[in-house]
Amino acid sequence: MDQEPLGRESAEGLRALAADGPRPPLVVITGMSGAGRSTVAKALEDHGWHVVENLPPQLLADLESLRERARPPADGGPSPRLAVVIDARTRWLSGQDAHLLDQLTAGPHRPVLVFLDATDEALVRRFESVRRPHPMQGTGGLLDAISAERELMADLRSEADIIVDTSGLNVHQLHAKVSSLLNASVGTRVRLAVMSFGFKYGVPLDADFVMDMRFLPNPFWVPHLKALAGTDPQVAEYVLSQPEASEFLDRAIALFTPVLAGYVHEGRRYATLAIGCTGGKHRSVAVAEALAARFDPERVVAFVVHRDLGRE
């Protein structure tokens, strides 16, 4: 089944997540089995969210009703943020109760829908590593179960406000990315994930922008730097001391300043800038760290994710 590019964020969804009103929106976390729903739930709990896992979708309306009747916090502060985790193991997604999808996407208090996805290869690898069957596998094969679930979740995915590709992220990276994405205290600033990666492992599917650092000299061929990573000061100095690197950083900031300002104007609050080199160990890592540090913190909340660091 062909997939559209991942990493979509709608203006309305992200605007709702950043809202500072007394009643924050309900966030519904769903997506493919094995794509990281439990990790996302833990990340939200770590940041003070109340998370309800495996709630029957038919009870969403009752949950919203309870929120409406809840007393405001004693200190007069905002209501606690609430998220619900839903998977495909329910008749609601089979079509019989499809009217509940309409309830999700309509009404005065529309939840923010976050869909976690990953490539078939990544999902197969994860299920094989934990040696557990896919929840929809039955007597068929793993790929058959993944394909069936994709078909079952297609309508829900198409309605998602935010789609997050978790294919190249480990547990810690996904935790960091979602924690930053769903943090409410962003004001009018854009959250920018500056992600280093290695081209030999594939371009990140959720990248909004991709930049290639293979034009810089490779520390891999310098004997005393080969075993070190781009986070090491020696490697960073070698990479960033190149005249081309300095010029690139200056021009990148000049390029993205109006772009990210336009994102704010259009209501987009999140973007991923992927910085690549051959293996994702030296050049891309050093440049990603340096570039993230150059953004104006008053306008951009830049954080770094090193997707492939440690894979070699």
Side-chain angles (χ1 to χ4, degrees):
M1 176 179 178
D2 293 335
Q3 300 177 54
E4 65 185 67
L6 306 181
R8 187 191 68 223
E9 302 89 21
S10 77
E12 290 301 321
L14 291 177
R15 190 177 291 118
L17 285 176
D20 292 322
R23 188 169 176 274
L26 173 68
V27 174
V28 177
I29 307 292
T30 188
M32 296 294 293
S33 299
R37 291 190 305 262
S38 296
T39 298
V40 171
K42 292 176 182 177
L44 296 179
E45 288 177 341
D46 289 346
H47 287 272
W49 289 58
H50 294 292
V51 180
V52 182
E53 294 196 63
N54 301 320
L55 179 77
Q58 293 86 345
L59 299 181
L60 278 173
D62 295 331
L63 186 62
E64 272 296 331
S65 178
L66 288 174
R67 293 182 76 209
E68 291 177 358
R69 297 198 302 268
R71 295 180 179 178
D75 60 2
S79 300
R81 295 188 171 274
L82 180 63
V84 175
V85 181
I86 294 175
D87 64 28
R89 290 171 293 183
T90 171
R91 293 169 61 189
W92 169 60
L93 290 177
S94 68
Q96 180 173 339
D97 297 315
H99 64 280
L100 288 175
L101 179 58
D102 296 332
Q103 295 178 12
L104 262 183
T105 57
H109 302 299
R110 183 190 188 281
V112 176
L113 191 56
V114 179
F115 192 98
L116 304 180
D117 206 343
T119 63
D120 289 357
E121 293 79 6
L123 296 176
V124 168
R125 186 169 60 250
R126 291 170 186 174
F127 276 105
E128 289 181 342
S129 67
V130 297
R131 299 182 179 181
R132 295 182 60 188
H134 190 283
M136 296 183 63
Q137 191 163 344
T139 58
L142 180 54
L143 282 174
D144 295 331
I146 292 173
S147 177
E149 186 178 31
R150 285 203 188 281
E151 183 176 353
L152 202 59
M153 303 289 275
D155 289 344
L156 193 59
R157 186 181 188 277
S158 68
E159 294 290 344
D161 298 289
I162 303 169
I163 298 176
V164 180
D165 171 36
T166 71
S167 303
L169 303 179
N170 60 33
V171 170
H172 304 293
Q173 292 168 334
L174 177 57
H175 189 294
K177 183 169 184 176
V178 172
S179 297
S180 182
L181 173 62
L182 298 182
N183 188 343
S185 60
V186 297
T188 59
R189 295 181 294 172
V190 174
R191 290 192 167 266
L192 179 66
V194 184
M195 177 184 293
S196 71
F197 73 95
F199 278 98
K200 72 179 187 178
Y201 301 115
V203 176
L205 294 178
D206 57 346
D208 296 289
F209 311 95
V210 177
M211 293 191 162
D212 187 352
M213 296 300 104
R214 290 177 292 185
F215 67 91
L216 295 172
N218 193 350
F220 180 86
W221 304 112
V222 180
H224 70 283
L225 300 179
K226 179 178 180 179
L228 303 177
T231 52
D232 188 281
Q234 297 181 71
V235 177
E237 182 180 3
Y238 176 85
V239 173
L240 300 177
S241 65
Q242 306 298 326
E244 300 92 338
S246 179
E247 182 179 358
F248 168 82
L249 291 171
D250 291 341
R251 295 196 177 204
I253 292 297
L255 171 65
F256 282 101
T257 296
V259 170
L260 297 180
Y263 271 30
V264 171
H265 183 267
E266 293 300 317
R268 295 193 64 177
R269 291 290 183 268
Y270 184 82
T272 297
L273 168 58
I275 306 290
C277 63
T278 303
K281 179 179 180 180
H282 296 113
R283 294 166 289 182
S284 63
V285 171
V287 171
E289 293 278 355
L291 186 59
R294 287 200 178 199
F295 284 102
D296 182 358
E298 296 296 322
R299 298 182 178 182
V300 179
V301 180
F303 61 99
V304 179
V305 178
H306 297 307
R307 192 193 74 174
D308 298 325
L309 188 59
R311 294 184 69 165
E312 291 189 344

